Structures are given as structure tokens and as C-alpha cells.
Amino acid sequence: MNRQQILQLCMQELSNRRTQAQTVAYKNLMKARKHPEFLEIEKKERQLIFEIGKMSAFGGVPIEIQMKLDDIREEKNEILKKIGIHPDKLKPSYHCPHCSDIGYIDKVQCTCLKKIINNILMKESGVGKEILTDFKDFDENVATEQSHKETLLKLKKKFETYLDSFPYNTPKFILLSGKTGVGKTFITECLAKGLIDRGFLVSFVSAFGMNNMFLSYHTCFDDQKQNYMSALIDPDVLVIDDLGTEPNLKNVTIPYLHVLLSERSRLNKLTIVTTNLDAQEILTKYNERIFSRLCNKKESFRAQIVGTDLRLNPNK
Ligand SMILES: [Zn+2]
């Protein structure tokens, strides 16, 4: 799915929500209109609003007229309560109180729209499952060695401070190195879940999947081309899982990885990379420029997790 298709799907979802809220309100109105006293007061209200409209076109509305309208509305609410309909039920009760399910506030995407987009992206992303882990489930005691526990706990604390201030006071890159099973992906998912809950767009991709997208981009010559890179550049947060497991495709992997990392850095977007490689191996497998992107202290937070495979812990 490209960006346009995802957005279309989201707008359809919002439109369904809006229609549903409006239908409920309309049904309640029809129910109220079965009562003659409601019809009567509604008619009075309409007439007065019409009068007020005329008056304001010709100067001003006297305060007593305005007060009369307030009285009528109060009486209308009383009637509604008497016939067992709460006055609020005549107004559509929108899913999102901020944007009334329109998806935008002053041309800026509302968090509800971001969430819908995110759900679709999550389904589209390499993970293919919904992340349910978060820091509430975090337990450093799954690790057996003391140093491993301490590293996990330190990372948790660090990531929680990022969560509180994101997108400010956070690095552009987080690089987590360590052997399989030491908790890199788990702790990354905890951070990602927190960011998703705060309404940010987070996308997951395996290094293998990312490499395939680079290849698709490289070999595509129609107007779909840009979509392959946009999917990686657009999200507020991109998680690249297991960097180093992808095959090195000549003229593809290294140059496009460099473009991707530079572009995300330029846009101040967080990229999280998990890898089995240590710094030296990153330098050897890729190049100086990619190494300095991922490993420079100014833009990047780097941590190495050392320990035994958590999944082998019998106490877990
Ligand atoms: Zn909204």
C-alpha cells in the first residue's frame, strides 16, 4: 500500500465514525420529535433564531431577546429529560472529541488520524503482529547475570526519559548491539509501544525487508518508485531490526542505507537499530560514513547488551 492508499483508507474509517455518530444523534432527534411538546418548543426556538438573525443584520440583538433564547433552550432540555432523552444525545458523540472525527485540526493531522495510520502501518510493517509489550511488563530479573540485569534496567530508565520528552531531548539514532536473545528487540518494542501510545508513527522493518525495499526502489522506474523510500523515511520512528543479517547487494545496500540514515537525520526523525554486530564490525561491513552516522556520540545513543539468551532462562 502506498501513502495515498493508506490515507484514503484512514479517511474512509473517519468518515464511517462520523456517519455513525451522526446517525445515532439523528435517531434520537426523530425519537424526540414524536412528542408534540418537543415539536412545539423546537418550532419556537427556530422562529426566535430566525428573528435574531434578522435583528443582527439590522444593528443588534437586545439582551432580553438573547435571554429569551436561553430560556427556550432550557425549557427544551427539560422536555427532553421528561421524555427520557438526555439533551447531549441530540448532538453527535464523536469518537475523537478533538477533531470531531475529521482527522485534522487547522490542517494538522490529529492524533486520532495518526493512530489509524499507525495501525495500518503496523499491519503493513515487518512485524506483522501488534506489539503488546510495554515497560509495565518489563522485568530485568529475566536476566540471570547481575551485569545483564543492570544494563537492562539502565536502558529502561534511559528510554523512559526519552518517552517523556520525545521528540525533544532524544538522539537521532539508537543503536543496540548484542547477541541474539539478550533483550534488544524486547526493550525496543517497549519503547516503540510507548511512542505509539503517544500518537507517533512507528514503523518496524527487518534489515532483510529494508534491503528488499532498497532493491525495489533501485529497480523501479514508474511513479511507484518513491513509495519504497517514503515508507522508510515518513514514520516518526523507524526500527530496523537485526542490521547485518541482510545480504550486501552491490550498489544497493550501502548507498541506500546511507541515504536513508542521512535523510532521517536531516528530518530529525528517530531511527532505532538493533544488531548483532559491534562497532568495529559495522565499520567493516558497511563504511565509514554509515559507521559515523550510527556511532557518533553527538547524534547517537549506543548501548551494548552483554548476557546470555533470555529465552534459555528456566525461571522466565
Ligand atoms: Zn481526532
Side-chain angles (χ1 to χ4, degrees):
M1 241 191 299
N2 65 34
R3 243 190 318 177
Q4 202 55 38
Q5 287 166 324
I6 289 176
L7 200 61
Q8 247 169 29
L9 214 63
C10 294
M11 296 325 279
Q12 188 55 51
E13 169 65 23
L14 283 170
S15 159
N16 292 347
R17 288 180 184 181
R18 220 162 44 235
T19 309
Q20 200 187 12
Q22 286 163 355
T23 307
V24 172
Y26 184 72
K27 277 185 181 160
N28 287 328
L29 180 65
M30 290 300 114
K31 223 161 89 186
R33 281 185 178 162
K34 286 195 178 123
H35 298 264
E37 63 268 52
F38 180 81
L39 274 178
E40 190 56 38
I41 194 84
E42 220 193 3
K43 202 170 131 196
K44 270 200 217 166
E45 185 191 21
R46 238 185 347 254
Q47 273 168 353
L48 194 60
I49 290 172
F50 181 68
E51 291 301 321
I52 289 175
K54 269 200 307 195
M55 282 175 194
S56 53
F58 292 103
V61 186
I63 183 83
E64 56 271 23
I65 300 287
Q66 196 60 54
M67 278 162 70
K68 200 173 156 194
L69 182 63
D70 292 343
D71 289 343
I72 287 178
R73 286 189 169 153
E74 209 169 299
E75 198 186 329
K76 187 171 113 181
N77 287 349
E78 287 308 315
I79 292 170
L80 279 170
K81 279 180 202 157
K82 214 169 66 195
I83 60 184
I85 298 170
H86 193 282
D88 287 348
K89 299 266 185 236
L90 295 195
K91 289 180 226 139
S93 160
Y94 291 111
H95 207 275
C96 176
H98 308 294
C99 70
S100 304
D101 300 341
I102 288 167
Y104 287 88
I105 301 169
D106 295 334
K107 293 185 184 163
V108 177
Q109 280 184 1
C110 180
T111 46
C112 71
L113 174 57
K114 286 190 175 189
K115 265 188 192 154
I116 303 172
I117 295 176
N118 211 22
N119 283 342
I120 297 172
L121 284 178
M122 289 271 276
K123 276 183 205 144
E124 291 268 296
S125 72
V127 182
K129 61 173 164 101
E130 211 181 322
I131 314 175
L132 298 168
T133 336
D134 64 25
F135 283 121
K136 286 198 287 295
D137 306 321
F138 186 93
D139 178 12
E140 72 278 8
N141 292 316
V142 293
T144 38
E145 304 97 325
Q146 191 57 29
S147 61
H148 192 185
K149 278 183 205 175
E150 279 164 16
T151 309
L152 291 176
L153 198 62
K154 234 161 73 187
L155 280 174
K156 179 196 180 206
K157 284 189 179 147
K158 185 96 189 161
F159 286 0
E160 280 176 330
T161 63
Y162 291 162
L163 264 186
D164 287 338
S165 60
F166 192 82
Y168 306 104
N169 301 318
T170 42
K172 291 181 179 178
F173 298 99
I174 294 176
L175 179 67
L176 290 180
S177 317
K179 299 229 151 32
T180 308
V182 290
K184 303 184 300 277
T185 305
F186 173 70
I187 201 161
T188 304
E189 286 191 356
C190 289
L191 175 60
K193 178 70 167 53
L195 291 165
I196 290 166
D197 290 345
R198 284 163 173 75
F200 293 102
L201 291 185
V202 180
S203 207
F204 284 78
V205 66
S206 65
F208 195 85
M210 174 187 72
N211 209 25
N212 284 340
M213 283 164 102
F214 290 159
L215 186 62
S216 302
Y217 179 84
H218 189 69
T219 52
C220 179
F221 297 98
D222 60 30
D223 55 1
Q224 291 288 305
K225 188 177 176 81
Q226 199 49 44
N227 293 325
Y228 296 109
M229 279 310 252
S230 309
L232 299 169
I233 291 170
D234 283 354
D236 299 322
V237 180
L238 177 71
V239 181
I240 304 171
D241 202 24
D242 246 345
L243 188 76
T245 53
E246 76 289 355
N248 188 351
L249 307 175
K250 197 165 178 276
N251 295 330
V252 174
T253 307
I254 291 179
Y256 288 119
L257 180 60
H258 183 253
V259 168
L260 174 66
L261 299 179
S262 306
E263 194 54 15
R264 290 191 56 85
S265 164
R266 189 182 67 78
L267 296 166
N268 280 316
K269 292 181 170 189
L270 172 63
T271 307
I272 306 174
V273 176
T274 71
T275 183
N276 284 4
L277 307 177
D278 62 27
Q280 185 54 47
E281 287 167 327
I282 290 176
L283 182 59
T284 315
K285 185 171 164 85
Y286 300 96
N287 60 23
E288 176 70 40
R289 292 197 298 172
I290 288 173
F291 169 81
S292 72
R293 272 270 174 245
L294 290 176
C295 300
N296 83 80
K297 285 204 172 101
K298 237 172 68 194
E299 288 199 331
S300 166
F301 170 79
R302 191 152 62 95
Q304 173 110 21
I305 309 178
V306 181
T308 42
D309 197 328
L310 297 175
R311 293 165 297 189
L312 302 179
N313 182 350
N315 303 321
K316 199 192 155 185

